[in-house]
Amino acid sequence: MSQLVAPHGGKGLVCALLHGSELVAEQEKAAGLKKVQVSARAKGDLIMMGIGGFSPLDGFMNKADWKGVCENFQMADGTFWPVPITLDITKEDADAIEMGEEIALEADGVIMATMKVSEKFEMTEADKKWECEKVFMGEGEESVDGNFWKIAPEDHPGVIMVMNQKDINIAGPVKVLSQGSYPDEYPGVYLTPAETRAMFEERGWSKVAALQLRNPMHRSHEFLAKIAIEVCDGVLIHSLIGNLKAGDIPAETRVKAIEILIDNYFVKDNVINGGYPLDMRYAGPREGLLHATFRQNYGITD
């Protein structure tokens, strides 16, 4: 029996990624389905649902889940989740889709997944602003003048992302057909939850820390990782290799910097260099909770 922490949600690793003959059959079917273009953020979310990183999610959230997550950090069934995982599309696309219809989700010219649409719900400007106030500001942040924003909303990359979403969200389970270019671009660094769990078990680790990075690793990060090694069996240096905001350091540069540090400043047996395929949401404490939640699926305890 595994000594690692169980995946989040009590259902084991919920992986929507298809393989083998199932994948081939679904790809053939997807070619004939109505195609909907999705954002880079949704592409990363799909890959995480595919590899089990977002367990127990098996698709995009409906309105009850969206509202519960924004308001109470809980989906409709009571499962803890800190940040909405929703799929926005144009009203024109939404009007052309029937309830219960299967569609193909496409990004960068690649069909990433198929989806059975179980719900469509409008996101008004007021809905988007409400989501931003809940997700990006937290509770009790109102200033004397009644302004919830810690910084001007037009300058906040996460707020911009939400306010620029299309007008309709669609919900439903997905079947994921691709992991994008990550396995080829980052071999040995792009790791699925099943792979990290197998690596931890092979090394005899049960208490594992993760160090979240979206910037090059510097001496303070190194110090934190070495402290973690003192109190845990090992550390996964877990870098975001999805999209960042303009001006952030590219993932390939950050990955190389981490490799140099591991080679020269760590005991290699205690550290793993890993990457995950999400886009940053810049959601402050809520994003920290999201990282803690999905890293439980990777086998992380600390």
Side-chain angles (χ1 to χ4, degrees):
M1 181 181 291
S2 175
Q3 298 302 305
L4 295 171
V5 62
H8 180 62
K11 298 178 182 178
L13 286 179
V14 177
C15 300
L17 182 66
L18 300 184
H19 301 276
S21 58
E22 278 189 312
L23 173 60
V24 172
E26 197 69 17
Q27 286 172 326
E28 289 173 357
K29 182 174 78 172
L33 297 177
K34 195 173 295 172
K35 293 178 180 59
V36 173
Q37 302 300 314
V38 301
S39 65
R41 186 188 81 177
K43 176 182 174 181
D45 293 346
L46 280 167
I47 296 171
M48 286 291 275
M49 285 186 268
I51 62 179
F54 272 173
S55 299
L57 301 189
D58 65 355
F60 289 99
M61 292 178 177
N62 58 30
K63 188 169 186 177
D65 289 331
W66 166 79
K67 187 173 187 295
V69 167
C70 289
E71 208 162 36
N72 302 311
F73 296 77
Q74 288 184 332
M75 294 191 290
D77 66 1
T79 302
F80 173 83
W81 202 270
V83 175
I85 306 298
T86 53
L87 178 60
D88 63 299
I89 65 172
T90 64
K91 187 174 186 308
E92 182 183 12
D93 280 339
D95 288 344
I97 298 169
E98 301 293 329
M99 296 300 295
E101 183 177 357
E102 285 188 275
I103 61 173
L105 305 179
E106 188 175 60
D108 304 321
V110 175
I111 296 178
M112 296 298 301
T114 60
M115 176 181 183
K116 187 170 185 179
V117 179
S118 62
E119 188 175 322
K120 300 186 279 186
F121 58 100
E122 185 181 7
M123 287 290 287
T124 65
E125 292 298 295
D127 291 329
K128 294 174 188 176
K129 186 173 183 236
W130 180 78
E131 177 180 327
C132 289
E133 288 174 345
K134 290 294 185 183
V135 172
F136 296 103
M137 269 53 62
E139 302 300 328
E141 296 294 346
E142 187 173 6
S143 63
V144 242
D145 60 0
N147 179 13
F148 279 91
W149 307 101
K150 291 179 181 177
I151 61 172
E154 62 272 15
D155 295 333
H156 190 295
V159 171
I160 293 167
M161 194 185 305
V162 172
M163 295 305 294
N164 285 343
Q165 287 179 163
K166 301 178 184 75
D167 294 331
I168 306 294
N169 280 346
I170 56 173
V174 298
K175 294 177 181 176
V176 178
L177 311 180
S178 172
Q179 297 178 72
S181 61
Y182 292 109
D184 293 329
E185 276 190 64
Y186 303 99
V189 171
Y190 168 73
L191 299 170
T192 69
E195 288 170 334
T196 58
R197 285 173 169 271
M199 294 168 82
F200 300 160
E201 288 185 339
E202 185 182 352
R203 297 179 183 214
W205 296 358
S206 59
K207 186 175 173 61
V208 189
L211 176 62
Q212 154 70 22
L213 289 179
R214 70 173 179 87
N215 288 305
M217 193 171 182
H218 52 62
R219 292 303 302 274
S220 295
H221 293 137
E222 178 199 350
F223 184 64
L224 285 171
K226 286 180 174 175
I227 290 174
I229 289 168
E230 293 297 320
V231 296
C232 297
D233 298 321
V235 172
L236 173 67
I237 299 174
H238 213 199
S239 301
L240 183 140
I241 54 176
N243 290 332
L244 300 161
K245 61 181 173 60
D248 281 347
I249 305 296
E252 57 269 22
T253 302
R254 292 183 278 109
V255 166
K256 286 177 184 173
I258 293 165
E259 286 172 350
I260 289 168
L261 274 167
I262 290 175
D263 287 342
N264 295 282
Y265 297 97
F266 286 96
V267 176
K268 288 186 184 181
D269 290 345
N270 295 333
V271 184
I272 294 171
N273 185 9
Y276 65 99
L278 283 183
D279 286 13
M280 277 294 292
R281 281 171 161 83
Y282 301 96
R286 288 246 193 176
E287 186 146 19
L289 289 171
L290 177 65
H291 292 169
T293 302
F294 72 68
R295 286 202 174 96
Q296 183 178 340
N297 296 322
Y298 281 84
I300 300 298
T301 54
D302 292 79

